[in-house]
mmCIF file of all heavy atoms in Angstrom:
data_model
loop_
_atom_site.group_PDB
_atom_site.id
_atom_site.type_symbol
_atom_site.label_atom_id
_atom_site.label_comp_id
_atom_site.label_asym_id
_atom_site.label_seq_id
_atom_site.Cartn_x
_atom_site.Cartn_y
_atom_site.Cartn_z
ATOM 1 N N LEU A 161 11.687 -16.100 -25.908
ATOM 2 C CA LEU A 161 12.007 -17.456 -25.454
ATOM 3 C C LEU A 161 11.801 -18.473 -26.555
ATOM 4 O O LEU A 161 12.638 -19.352 -26.761
ATOM 5 C CB LEU A 161 11.151 -17.813 -24.231
ATOM 6 C CG LEU A 161 11.370 -16.980 -22.966
ATOM 7 C CD1 LEU A 161 10.421 -17.426 -21.862
ATOM 8 C CD2 LEU A 161 12.817 -17.064 -22.488
ATOM 9 N N SER A 162 10.665 -18.373 -27.267
ATOM 10 C CA SER A 162 10.385 -19.340 -28.332
ATOM 11 C C SER A 162 9.306 -18.786 -29.236
ATOM 12 O O SER A 162 8.599 -17.830 -28.889
ATOM 13 C CB SER A 162 9.925 -20.685 -27.735
ATOM 14 O OG SER A 162 8.687 -20.521 -27.058
ATOM 15 N N SER A 163 9.179 -19.388 -30.406
ATOM 16 C CA SER A 163 8.129 -19.018 -31.354
ATOM 17 C C SER A 163 7.562 -20.301 -31.947
ATOM 18 O O SER A 163 7.982 -21.411 -31.593
ATOM 19 C CB SER A 163 8.687 -18.111 -32.462
ATOM 20 O OG SER A 163 9.529 -18.855 -33.337
ATOM 21 N N ASP A 164 6.620 -20.181 -32.868
ATOM 22 C CA ASP A 164 6.036 -21.369 -33.480
ATOM 23 C C ASP A 164 6.995 -22.012 -34.481
ATOM 24 O O ASP A 164 6.708 -23.083 -35.010
ATOM 25 C CB ASP A 164 4.715 -21.015 -34.171
ATOM 26 C CG ASP A 164 4.919 -20.024 -35.311
ATOM 27 O OD1 ASP A 164 5.728 -19.099 -35.148
ATOM 28 O OD2 ASP A 164 4.260 -20.172 -36.356
ATOM 29 N N ARG A 165 8.128 -21.367 -34.737
ATOM 30 C CA ARG A 165 9.125 -21.926 -35.651
ATOM 31 C C ARG A 165 10.165 -22.695 -34.855
ATOM 32 O O ARG A 165 10.550 -22.293 -33.751
ATOM 33 C CB ARG A 165 9.810 -20.804 -36.437
ATOM 34 C CG ARG A 165 8.826 -19.965 -37.226
ATOM 35 C CD ARG A 165 9.539 -18.880 -37.988
ATOM 36 N NE ARG A 165 8.582 -18.080 -38.744
ATOM 37 C CZ ARG A 165 8.910 -17.134 -39.595
ATOM 38 N NH1 ARG A 165 10.184 -16.848 -39.800
ATOM 39 N NH2 ARG A 165 7.987 -16.452 -40.250
ATOM 40 N N ALA A 166 10.649 -23.747 -35.437
ATOM 41 C CA ALA A 166 11.587 -24.618 -34.733
ATOM 42 C C ALA A 166 12.885 -23.904 -34.397
ATOM 43 O O ALA A 166 13.494 -24.143 -33.351
ATOM 44 C CB ALA A 166 11.873 -25.864 -35.582
ATOM 45 N N GLU A 167 13.299 -22.984 -35.295
ATOM 46 C CA GLU A 167 14.569 -22.288 -35.052
ATOM 47 C C GLU A 167 14.417 -21.147 -34.047
ATOM 48 O O GLU A 167 15.409 -20.482 -33.702
ATOM 49 C CB GLU A 167 15.160 -21.765 -36.362
ATOM 50 C CG GLU A 167 14.331 -20.701 -37.072
ATOM 51 C CD GLU A 167 13.278 -21.275 -38.009
ATOM 52 O OE1 GLU A 167 12.943 -22.479 -37.868
ATOM 53 O OE2 GLU A 167 12.789 -20.523 -38.882
ATOM 54 N N GLY A 168 13.189 -20.854 -33.612
ATOM 55 C CA GLY A 168 12.970 -19.831 -32.590
ATOM 56 C C GLY A 168 13.107 -18.408 -33.090
ATOM 57 O O GLY A 168 13.524 -17.531 -32.333
ATOM 58 N N THR A 169 12.752 -18.141 -34.351
ATOM 59 C CA THR A 169 12.823 -16.785 -34.899
ATOM 60 C C THR A 169 11.420 -16.204 -35.020
ATOM 61 O O THR A 169 10.415 -16.932 -35.058
ATOM 62 C CB THR A 169 13.490 -16.776 -36.285
ATOM 63 O OG1 THR A 169 12.705 -17.583 -37.184
ATOM 64 C CG2 THR A 169 14.901 -17.312 -36.207
ATOM 65 N N CYS A 170 11.355 -14.887 -35.083
ATOM 66 C CA CYS A 170 10.092 -14.209 -35.355
ATOM 67 C C CYS A 170 10.391 -12.916 -36.090
ATOM 68 O O CYS A 170 11.531 -12.428 -36.073
ATOM 69 C CB CYS A 170 9.311 -13.938 -34.069
ATOM 70 S SG CYS A 170 10.038 -12.662 -33.020
ATOM 71 N N HIS A 171 9.375 -12.365 -36.718
ATOM 72 C CA HIS A 171 9.531 -11.117 -37.459
ATOM 73 C C HIS A 171 8.638 -10.061 -36.833
ATOM 74 O O HIS A 171 7.492 -10.330 -36.475
ATOM 75 C CB HIS A 171 9.173 -11.318 -38.932
ATOM 76 C CG HIS A 171 10.001 -12.361 -39.609
ATOM 77 N ND1 HIS A 171 11.322 -12.174 -39.932
ATOM 78 C CD2 HIS A 171 9.700 -13.623 -40.004
ATOM 79 C CE1 HIS A 171 11.794 -13.269 -40.512
ATOM 80 N NE2 HIS A 171 10.830 -14.160 -40.556
ATOM 81 N N ILE A 172 9.196 -8.851 -36.709
ATOM 82 C CA ILE A 172 8.437 -7.763 -36.098
ATOM 83 C C ILE A 172 8.606 -6.493 -36.927
ATOM 84 O O ILE A 172 9.541 -6.381 -37.734
ATOM 85 C CB ILE A 172 8.888 -7.484 -34.642
ATOM 86 C CG1 ILE A 172 10.299 -6.893 -34.627
ATOM 87 C CG2 ILE A 172 8.817 -8.735 -33.802
ATOM 88 C CD1 ILE A 172 10.732 -6.355 -33.281
ATOM 89 N N THR A 173 7.691 -5.567 -36.737
ATOM 90 C CA THR A 173 7.854 -4.220 -37.280
ATOM 91 C C THR A 173 7.906 -3.242 -36.108
ATOM 92 O O THR A 173 7.190 -3.400 -35.126
ATOM 93 C CB THR A 173 6.695 -3.820 -38.213
ATOM 94 O OG1 THR A 173 5.467 -3.878 -37.491
ATOM 95 C CG2 THR A 173 6.619 -4.738 -39.410
ATOM 96 N N THR A 174 8.758 -2.240 -36.249
ATOM 97 C CA THR A 174 8.946 -1.264 -35.170
ATOM 98 C C THR A 174 8.512 0.127 -35.627
ATOM 99 O O THR A 174 9.082 1.134 -35.221
ATOM 100 C CB THR A 174 10.418 -1.229 -34.728
ATOM 101 O OG1 THR A 174 11.238 -0.942 -35.878
ATOM 102 C CG2 THR A 174 10.844 -2.553 -34.130
ATOM 103 N N ALA A 175 7.490 0.182 -36.488
ATOM 104 C CA ALA A 175 7.074 1.464 -37.062
ATOM 105 C C ALA A 175 6.683 2.470 -35.992
ATOM 106 O O ALA A 175 6.965 3.660 -36.112
ATOM 107 C CB ALA A 175 5.906 1.234 -38.027
ATOM 108 N N SER A 176 6.043 2.014 -34.923
ATOM 109 C CA SER A 176 5.595 2.946 -33.889
ATOM 110 C C SER A 176 6.727 3.388 -32.980
ATOM 111 O O SER A 176 6.544 4.281 -32.162
ATOM 112 C CB SER A 176 4.483 2.307 -33.050
ATOM 113 O OG SER A 176 4.987 1.219 -32.317
ATOM 114 N N LEU A 177 7.913 2.765 -33.116
ATOM 115 C CA LEU A 177 9.052 3.108 -32.265
ATOM 116 C C LEU A 177 10.072 3.968 -32.990
ATOM 117 O O LEU A 177 10.457 5.029 -32.509
ATOM 118 C CB LEU A 177 9.727 1.838 -31.745
ATOM 119 C CG LEU A 177 8.879 0.970 -30.809
ATOM 120 C CD1 LEU A 177 9.603 -0.325 -30.509
ATOM 121 C CD2 LEU A 177 8.568 1.712 -29.531
#
Side-chain angles (χ1 to χ4, degrees):
L161 296 178
S162 65
S163 71
D164 63 320
R165 302 180 180 186
E167 64 273 18
T169 61
C170 71
H171 301 288
I172 68 170
T173 59
T174 56
S176 66
L177 295 173

